[in-house]
Amino acid sequence: MARRLIRIAGADALTFLQGLVTNDVDRLKDGLVYTALLTPQGKLIADFFLVPDGNAVLIDVDAEVAQTLATRLSMYKLRADVTLDWDDRLVAQGDGPMPAGAFADPRDPSLGWRAYGEAQAADLPDWAARRVAACVPEWGAELGPETYILEAGFERLGGVDFKKGCYVGQEVTARMKHKTQLRKGIARVRVDGHASQGDEVTVNGKAAGTLHTVAGGHALAYLRFDRMTGPAQAGTATVILEDDAP
């Protein structure tokens, strides 16, 4: 788990974030807030956690996209009373009783807790299997710059608030929520046989999607739901939507 922290401070920090991200910043009073920053076209720039840190807010983001996120936030700062700085504290994950100052991962209880400090605990064991079991996508595996967050399950994961007011990309996201039925998206599947990340999923020879994280006979896949009319194939494996599996 390679993460970086961006520290947002200043008198306008909360207002600044509230007008940009997909979730309600007021939820920081209850702990971590899982959220995202989108393009005006509704595509994902980065998913991340907001972390309460006294009078400031930390952004806990995948290291691969951290600089992109910091640059985009700086573009939006304009004359707001906001400072953005890198924070060198380490990000730890763990399971079981939470240490002082740690926060529960808001996406799913099986993902344990996250803590921010000098000492870094070992990452959670079987992280990929935990994510697959909970159908939680991750940057670089299932999530990327072409992702629409509703197709990635952000509503189920508590990563978007439809009552908070305006944010970047809201119009597209709201239209997908209220005016269309999702025809594509990330789902959990059972994999019977050998298949690997990146394998094409087909049904009766027609492309139906792509496998992503594979762990312990299960996987996350990006699928065209209208084509998943029965057992599918990927590599030499049979692939079945998890909800349809016996």
PDB file of all heavy atoms in Angstrom, residues 48-60:
ATOM      1  N   PHE A  48     -10.097   9.032  -2.574  1.00  0.00           N
ATOM      2  CA  PHE A  48      -9.253   9.251  -1.403  1.00  0.00           C
ATOM      3  C   PHE A  48     -10.120   9.340  -0.150  1.00  0.00           C
ATOM      4  O   PHE A  48     -11.353   9.371  -0.213  1.00  0.00           O
ATOM      5  CB  PHE A  48      -8.422  10.531  -1.553  1.00  0.00           C
ATOM      6  CG  PHE A  48      -9.199  11.727  -2.045  1.00  0.00           C
ATOM      7  CD1 PHE A  48      -9.841  12.589  -1.167  1.00  0.00           C
ATOM      8  CD2 PHE A  48      -9.289  12.000  -3.401  1.00  0.00           C
ATOM      9  CE1 PHE A  48     -10.550  13.695  -1.622  1.00  0.00           C
ATOM     10  CE2 PHE A  48      -9.986  13.096  -3.873  1.00  0.00           C
ATOM     11  CZ  PHE A  48     -10.626  13.946  -2.986  1.00  0.00           C
ATOM     12  N   PHE A  49      -9.430   9.371   0.986  1.00  0.00           N
ATOM     13  CA  PHE A  49     -10.083   9.606   2.272  1.00  0.00           C
ATOM     14  C   PHE A  49      -9.772  11.022   2.733  1.00  0.00           C
ATOM     15  O   PHE A  49      -8.636  11.490   2.600  1.00  0.00           O
ATOM     16  CB  PHE A  49      -9.571   8.630   3.338  1.00  0.00           C
ATOM     17  CG  PHE A  49      -9.812   7.188   3.041  1.00  0.00           C
ATOM     18  CD1 PHE A  49      -8.821   6.419   2.462  1.00  0.00           C
ATOM     19  CD2 PHE A  49     -11.034   6.592   3.337  1.00  0.00           C
ATOM     20  CE1 PHE A  49      -9.028   5.083   2.172  1.00  0.00           C
ATOM     21  CE2 PHE A  49     -11.254   5.258   3.055  1.00  0.00           C
ATOM     22  CZ  PHE A  49     -10.252   4.506   2.471  1.00  0.00           C
ATOM     23  N   LEU A  50     -10.770  11.685   3.294  1.00  0.00           N
ATOM     24  CA  LEU A  50     -10.545  12.890   4.066  1.00  0.00           C
ATOM     25  C   LEU A  50     -10.406  12.484   5.529  1.00  0.00           C
ATOM     26  O   LEU A  50     -11.212  11.693   6.042  1.00  0.00           O
ATOM     27  CB  LEU A  50     -11.704  13.868   3.900  1.00  0.00           C
ATOM     28  CG  LEU A  50     -11.972  14.371   2.479  1.00  0.00           C
ATOM     29  CD1 LEU A  50     -13.175  15.317   2.483  1.00  0.00           C
ATOM     30  CD2 LEU A  50     -10.748  15.049   1.898  1.00  0.00           C
ATOM     31  N   VAL A  51      -9.405  13.041   6.197  1.00  0.00           N
ATOM     32  CA  VAL A  51      -9.069  12.643   7.565  1.00  0.00           C
ATOM     33  C   VAL A  51      -9.092  13.869   8.464  1.00  0.00           C
ATOM     34  O   VAL A  51      -8.370  14.842   8.204  1.00  0.00           O
ATOM     35  CB  VAL A  51      -7.651  12.011   7.620  1.00  0.00           C
ATOM     36  CG1 VAL A  51      -7.360  11.475   9.019  1.00  0.00           C
ATOM     37  CG2 VAL A  51      -7.486  10.933   6.559  1.00  0.00           C
ATOM     38  N   PRO A  52      -9.913  13.874   9.535  1.00  0.00           N
ATOM     39  CA  PRO A  52      -9.879  15.026  10.449  1.00  0.00           C
ATOM     40  C   PRO A  52      -8.527  15.122  11.138  1.00  0.00           C
ATOM     41  O   PRO A  52      -8.002  14.128  11.637  1.00  0.00           O
ATOM     42  CB  PRO A  52     -11.006  14.716  11.442  1.00  0.00           C
ATOM     43  CG  PRO A  52     -11.225  13.245  11.366  1.00  0.00           C
ATOM     44  CD  PRO A  52     -10.875  12.838   9.971  1.00  0.00           C
ATOM     45  N   ASP A  53      -7.964  16.329  11.192  1.00  0.00           N
ATOM     46  CA  ASP A  53      -6.635  16.524  11.772  1.00  0.00           C
ATOM     47  C   ASP A  53      -6.594  17.873  12.467  1.00  0.00           C
ATOM     48  O   ASP A  53      -5.983  18.832  11.990  1.00  0.00           O
ATOM     49  CB  ASP A  53      -5.568  16.445  10.674  1.00  0.00           C
ATOM     50  CG  ASP A  53      -4.149  16.495  11.226  1.00  0.00           C
ATOM     51  OD1 ASP A  53      -3.864  15.777  12.203  1.00  0.00           O
ATOM     52  OD2 ASP A  53      -3.328  17.261  10.684  1.00  0.00           O
ATOM     53  N   GLY A  54      -7.299  17.969  13.602  1.00  0.00           N
ATOM     54  CA  GLY A  54      -7.387  19.239  14.307  1.00  0.00           C
ATOM     55  C   GLY A  54      -8.137  20.255  13.475  1.00  0.00           C
ATOM     56  O   GLY A  54      -9.255  20.008  13.016  1.00  0.00           O
ATOM     57  N   ASN A  55      -7.514  21.410  13.231  1.00  0.00           N
ATOM     58  CA  ASN A  55      -8.135  22.443  12.408  1.00  0.00           C
ATOM     59  C   ASN A  55      -7.874  22.248  10.917  1.00  0.00           C
ATOM     60  O   ASN A  55      -8.291  23.081  10.109  1.00  0.00           O
ATOM     61  CB  ASN A  55      -7.628  23.821  12.837  1.00  0.00           C
ATOM     62  CG  ASN A  55      -8.089  24.198  14.232  1.00  0.00           C
ATOM     63  OD1 ASN A  55      -9.194  23.840  14.641  1.00  0.00           O
ATOM     64  ND2 ASN A  55      -7.242  24.892  14.974  1.00  0.00           N
ATOM     65  N   ALA A  56      -7.196  21.176  10.573  1.00  0.00           N
ATOM     66  CA  ALA A  56      -6.866  20.889   9.182  1.00  0.00           C
ATOM     67  C   ALA A  56      -7.538  19.586   8.754  1.00  0.00           C
ATOM     68  O   ALA A  56      -8.200  18.901   9.537  1.00  0.00           O
ATOM     69  CB  ALA A  56      -5.354  20.797   9.005  1.00  0.00           C
ATOM     70  N   VAL A  57      -7.361  19.249   7.481  1.00  0.00           N
ATOM     71  CA  VAL A  57      -7.866  17.995   6.925  1.00  0.00           C
ATOM     72  C   VAL A  57      -6.729  17.355   6.141  1.00  0.00           C
ATOM     73  O   VAL A  57      -6.043  18.020   5.356  1.00  0.00           O
ATOM     74  CB  VAL A  57      -9.065  18.236   5.983  1.00  0.00           C
ATOM     75  CG1 VAL A  57      -9.548  16.922   5.387  1.00  0.00           C
ATOM     76  CG2 VAL A  57     -10.193  18.939   6.708  1.00  0.00           C
ATOM     77  N   LEU A  58      -6.516  16.058   6.374  1.00  0.00           N
ATOM     78  CA  LEU A  58      -5.568  15.306   5.565  1.00  0.00           C
ATOM     79  C   LEU A  58      -6.299  14.632   4.420  1.00  0.00           C
ATOM     80  O   LEU A  58      -7.449  14.190   4.575  1.00  0.00           O
ATOM     81  CB  LEU A  58      -4.856  14.236   6.398  1.00  0.00           C
ATOM     82  CG  LEU A  58      -4.015  14.701   7.585  1.00  0.00           C
ATOM     83  CD1 LEU A  58      -3.444  13.488   8.317  1.00  0.00           C
ATOM     84  CD2 LEU A  58      -2.905  15.633   7.131  1.00  0.00           C
ATOM     85  N   ILE A  59      -5.642  14.531   3.284  1.00  0.00           N
ATOM     86  CA  ILE A  59      -6.124  13.717   2.175  1.00  0.00           C
ATOM     87  C   ILE A  59      -5.198  12.508   2.074  1.00  0.00           C
ATOM     88  O   ILE A  59      -3.987  12.649   1.897  1.00  0.00           O
ATOM     89  CB  ILE A  59      -6.126  14.508   0.855  1.00  0.00           C
ATOM     90  CG1 ILE A  59      -7.180  15.616   0.905  1.00  0.00           C
ATOM     91  CG2 ILE A  59      -6.370  13.582  -0.321  1.00  0.00           C
ATOM     92  CD1 ILE A  59      -7.237  16.458  -0.347  1.00  0.00           C
ATOM     93  N   ASP A  60      -5.761  11.325   2.216  1.00  0.00           N
ATOM     94  CA  ASP A  60      -5.047  10.049   2.151  1.00  0.00           C
ATOM     95  C   ASP A  60      -5.336   9.454   0.774  1.00  0.00           C
ATOM     96  O   ASP A  60      -6.442   8.994   0.501  1.00  0.00           O
ATOM     97  CB  ASP A  60      -5.563   9.163   3.299  1.00  0.00           C
ATOM     98  CG  ASP A  60      -5.160   7.701   3.197  1.00  0.00           C
ATOM     99  OD1 ASP A  60      -4.420   7.335   2.271  1.00  0.00           O
ATOM    100  OD2 ASP A  60      -5.617   6.913   4.064  1.00  0.00           O
TER     101      ASP A  60
END
